């Protein structure tokens, strides 16, 4: 098991009622470093290590484990003094650097940090990772490539990925989408020896798009036995299906694509048509005679009236039961 987090290494020595200045805010952000902890005895003991030591922000770590191997990907960013000085709200604009680094665990120690994306194609909005049992990993992330539509700043959001072999060899950087839709909330999971990518797209009024990727970064499409349908609506043939952008995968350990579950949160309205509470829905991919089907979406958790969820985490145990925090 691996846990990773960002830690502030600067102590400002201020009283509770003292205001933090813009320069101090930047000092705090620049002091963030990536920490990682591993355990192999069900949490009885942990080994902790600091993976970064620099003067720029290290943020948003994502971890994955495969056998005795593990990996952590994170964002290494920086905001120029010029951009920040003109507007303190630009603290997270990251106009100078917006890159992704990673470190691998070989069963005994962590490797030196290595860059996997240099920021040349746009800013990073979100990232996820997964790892096969042989130590091959993938980082899937949303790029902000800019928008020409002032009313839709997310129009330039596109999905990208890169595979990293167990020895640290980098595969090709692949930008998977290039359209006028918003492609966001990247998710990835392993199944049948390949990576299953999912992301939310605004196409067709909102859909979860799917793509299978091989261990060498190759796309599985068409007649390939590893190919999967292009999206949830492509499987269900139900255009009226209401799909929310906040979704996750859930599967049993060792399970293939057959039985892979998607869980998402929807906002339910009250009698007056106002947003009132959240409901977690689930649907399952089913493979019958070589054809993929989608089970009818079911309400898994209905929160009380006037209660919304900011985030959730869903998983599937060995009996096939779906649970969520």
């Amino acid at each position: 098991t691996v846990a990773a987090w960002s830690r502030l290494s600067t102590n400002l020595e201020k009283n509770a009622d003292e205001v933090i200045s813009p320069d101090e805010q930047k000092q705090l952000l620049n002091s963030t470093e990536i920490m990682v902890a591993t355990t192999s005895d069900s949490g009885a003991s942990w080994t902790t290590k600091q993976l970064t030591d620099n003067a720029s922000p290290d943020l948003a770590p994502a971890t994955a484990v495969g056998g005795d191997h593990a990996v952590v990907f994170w964002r290494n960013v920086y905001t120029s003094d010029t951009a920040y000085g003109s507007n303190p709200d630009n603290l997270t604009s990251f106009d100078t650097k917006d890159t992704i680094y990673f470190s691998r665990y070989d069963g005994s120690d962590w490797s030196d940090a290595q860059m996997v994306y240099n920021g040349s194609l746009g800013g990073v909005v979100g990232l996820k990772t997964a790892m096969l049992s042989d130590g091959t990993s993938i980082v899937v992330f949303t790029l902000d490539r800019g928008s020409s539509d002032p009313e839709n700043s997310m129009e330039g959001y596109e999905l990208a990925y890169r595979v990293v072999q167990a020895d640290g060899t980098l595969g090709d950087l692949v930008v998977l989408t290039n359209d006028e839709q918003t492609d966001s909330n990247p998710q990835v999971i392993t199944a049948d020896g390949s990576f299953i990518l999912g992301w939310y797209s605004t196409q067709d009024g909102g859909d979860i798009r799917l793509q299978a990727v091989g261990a060498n970064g190759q796309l599985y499409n068409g007649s390939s036995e590893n190919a999967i349908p292009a999206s949830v609506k492509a499987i269900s043939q139900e255009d009226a299906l209401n799909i929310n952008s906040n979704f996750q995968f859930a599967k049993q350990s060792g399970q293939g694509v057959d039985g892979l579950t998607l869980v998402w949160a929807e906002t339910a309205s009250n009698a007056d048509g106002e947003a009132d509470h959240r409901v977690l829905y689930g649907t399952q991919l089913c493979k019958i005679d070589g054809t993929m089907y989608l089970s009818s979406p079911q309400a898994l958790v209905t929160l009380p009236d006037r209660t919304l969820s900011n985030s959730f985490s869903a998983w599937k145990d060995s009996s096939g039961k779906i649970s969520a925090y």
Side-chain angles (χ1 to χ4, degrees), residues 5-7 29-34 52-61 74-77 101:
W5 63 97
S6 244
R7 189 181 80 176
L29 186 61
N30 288 347
S31 75
T32 53
E33 306 294 353
I34 300 298
T52 61
D53 185 11
N54 52 50
S56 60
D58 295 290
L59 308 169
W74 67 90
R75 294 175 65 190
N76 177 252
V77 297
Y101 277 75

Side-chain angles (χ1 to χ4, degrees), residues 28-281:
L28 285 172
L29 186 61
N30 288 347
S31 75
T32 53
E33 306 294 353
I34 300 298
M35 306 293 297
V36 65
T38 58
T39 180
S40 57
D41 54 13
S42 300
S45 61
W46 291 81
T47 302
T48 304
K49 183 173 183 177
Q50 182 173 323
L51 296 182
T52 61
D53 185 11
N54 52 50
S56 60
D58 295 290
L59 308 169
T63 67
V65 172
D68 293 331
H69 301 267
V71 68
V72 179
F73 290 90
W74 67 90
R75 294 175 65 190
N76 177 252
V77 297
Y78 200 77
T79 302
S80 68
D81 292 335
T82 302
Y84 180 59
S86 62
N87 183 358
D89 292 336
N90 288 340
L91 182 63
T92 57
S93 65
F94 307 138
D95 64 318
T96 301
K97 181 168 62 173
D98 198 341
T99 61
I100 300 175
Y101 277 75
F102 72 96
S103 177
R104 295 175 294 105
Y105 183 72
D106 61 7
S108 60
D109 200 7
W110 291 90
S111 67
D112 292 336
Q114 183 178 347
M115 183 186 292
V116 70
Y117 169 62
N118 63 10
S120 61
L121 300 179
V124 178
V125 181
L127 64 88
K128 292 287 185 178
T129 181
M131 178 177 276
L132 299 174
S133 59
D134 66 354
T136 301
S137 60
I138 191 172
V139 59
V140 183
F141 53 103
T142 300
L143 286 171
D144 183 0
R145 307 194 72 176
S147 173
S148 59
D149 184 358
E151 297 183 358
N152 183 12
S153 61
M154 297 172 63
E155 182 188 62
Y157 281 19
E158 306 292 355
L159 194 88
Y161 72 85
R162 194 167 200 176
V163 166
V164 180
Q165 300 299 324
D167 61 0
T169 301
L170 299 180
D172 292 333
L173 176 63
V174 179
V175 180
L176 193 56
T177 64
N178 183 23
D179 51 40
E180 295 181 355
Q181 308 297 329
T182 297
D183 299 287
S184 60
N185 187 22
Q187 299 290 324
V188 61
I189 204 165
T190 60
D192 300 325
S194 60
F195 300 105
I196 306 300
L197 280 57
W199 67 98
Y200 179 78
S201 171
T202 53
Q203 71 175 10
D204 300 326
D207 199 358
I208 296 173
R209 296 182 62 182
L210 304 168
Q211 176 66 57
V213 174
N216 293 319
Q218 70 273 32
L219 296 172
Y220 290 133
N221 292 318
S223 59
S224 170
E225 63 179 4
N226 296 306
I228 59 175
S231 72
V232 168
K233 287 186 176 179
I235 306 171
S236 65
Q237 300 295 316
E238 186 179 341
D239 292 336
L241 189 64
N242 184 17
I243 297 177
N244 191 281
S245 61
N246 187 11
F247 82 97
Q248 293 180 11
F249 289 124
K251 76 178 184 72
Q252 294 168 254
S253 177
Q255 182 183 64
V257 175
D258 184 23
L260 183 63
T261 301
L262 294 92
V263 182
W264 67 86
E266 288 188 13
T267 301
S269 302
N270 58 21
D272 297 326
E274 301 167 331
D276 185 79
H277 62 277
R278 283 274 167 82
V279 180
L280 286 185
Y281 284 92

